[in-house]
Amino acid sequence: MNNPKKILRDHIEKVVKLTDNEFDFVIGHFALQSFKKTQFIIQAGDHVKDVFFILSGLVKLFYMDESAKQHIVSFAMEDWWETDFNAYYAQRRAVFSLACLENTETYSLSLENFNRLCNGLQKMEHFFLMKSIAGHIGSQERILSFLTSDARARYENLINKSPGLLQRVPKATLALYLGVSRETLSRLGS
């Protein structure tokens, strides 16, 4: 992996520019963490202490229903943020689980450090607002896709928005994300 600090700084500076002193302040609020493939970062029922910026690797956020059926909410890869946001901001137990599909390196940010960071540097408050808005838009687009699109359209949308996922995510997992059977996904991909 490249320099983790540079990756985070480049990511932030797509939205706001930072001086070296400002970035030193920012990086002091983050903790570098490593997780292995198949490892849970968060399990349903855990207290959610952190939001995670993905430096390298791939994770899935999912909900397990009463019948033990897995419902994948999202995938997050390099340059993305992920957690059970409701549990993180409300400081309650997770409803979702977050698991690694690949070995994953992250920067984690506790809610306490998030608040310190936003209070101490208004640029970071703006940065997180822009990231939050983009996340809300993405969530609404995904919900609308499920309400208005058939399986083929959802598959094509996934290919257009995140073509790299097809090579990185097992077919059975992609099928769960798209809300189709493994067999249907095979037909869509041919």
Side-chain angles (χ1 to χ4, degrees), residues 22-185:
E22 287 171 335
F23 183 71
D24 288 343
F25 173 74
V26 169
I27 198 67
H29 292 81
F30 286 85
L32 194 58
Q33 292 188 277
S34 298
F35 302 94
K36 296 287 185 200
K37 182 178 180 176
T38 72
Q39 184 177 352
F40 281 89
I41 298 174
I42 299 169
Q43 284 189 292
D46 288 351
H47 284 285
V48 178
K49 298 179 180 100
D50 298 298
V51 62
F52 300 89
F53 174 68
I54 311 299
L55 292 161
S56 66
L58 178 65
V59 298
K60 66 177 177 178
L61 185 72
F62 66 95
Y63 172 75
M64 191 74 75
D65 69 20
E66 311 80 41
S67 64
K69 182 177 179 195
Q70 192 178 119
H71 303 272
I72 298 177
V73 175
S74 62
F75 296 107
M77 61 186 91
E78 295 82 5
D79 221 30
W80 292 23
W81 296 82
E82 194 62 272
T83 196
D84 180 328
F85 285 101
N86 187 20
Y88 174 71
Y89 287 114
Q91 289 294 278
R92 60 175 65 138
R93 292 187 185 276
V95 172
F96 299 108
S97 294
L98 185 62
C100 298
L101 295 172
E102 299 173 352
N103 291 341
T104 301
E105 300 281 329
T106 72
Y107 268 125
S108 60
L109 180 66
S110 69
L111 185 61
E112 183 179 351
N113 279 341
F114 169 84
N115 288 325
R116 282 186 186 140
L117 192 51
C118 290
N119 289 333
L121 188 59
Q122 188 175 5
K123 287 179 181 182
M124 289 306 295
E125 191 172 47
H126 177 73
F127 168 78
F128 285 117
L129 175 62
M130 294 298 98
K131 288 293 161 184
S132 179
I133 289 169
H136 289 304
I137 291 168
S139 293
Q140 288 181 349
E141 287 174 347
R142 178 154 159 74
I143 292 167
L144 188 60
S145 170
F146 265 87
L147 294 173
T148 62
S149 302
D150 63 13
R152 175 157 301 284
R154 289 194 306 271
Y155 177 76
E156 289 171 358
N157 186 42
L158 177 66
I159 290 172
N160 291 333
K161 285 193 171 194
S162 303
L165 278 180
L166 296 178
Q167 285 73 46
R168 295 175 72 179
V169 176
K171 297 273 190 256
T173 305
L174 273 179
L176 286 172
Y177 177 73
L178 293 169
V180 299
S181 69
R182 173 88 167 74
E183 295 74 24
T184 299
L185 180 62

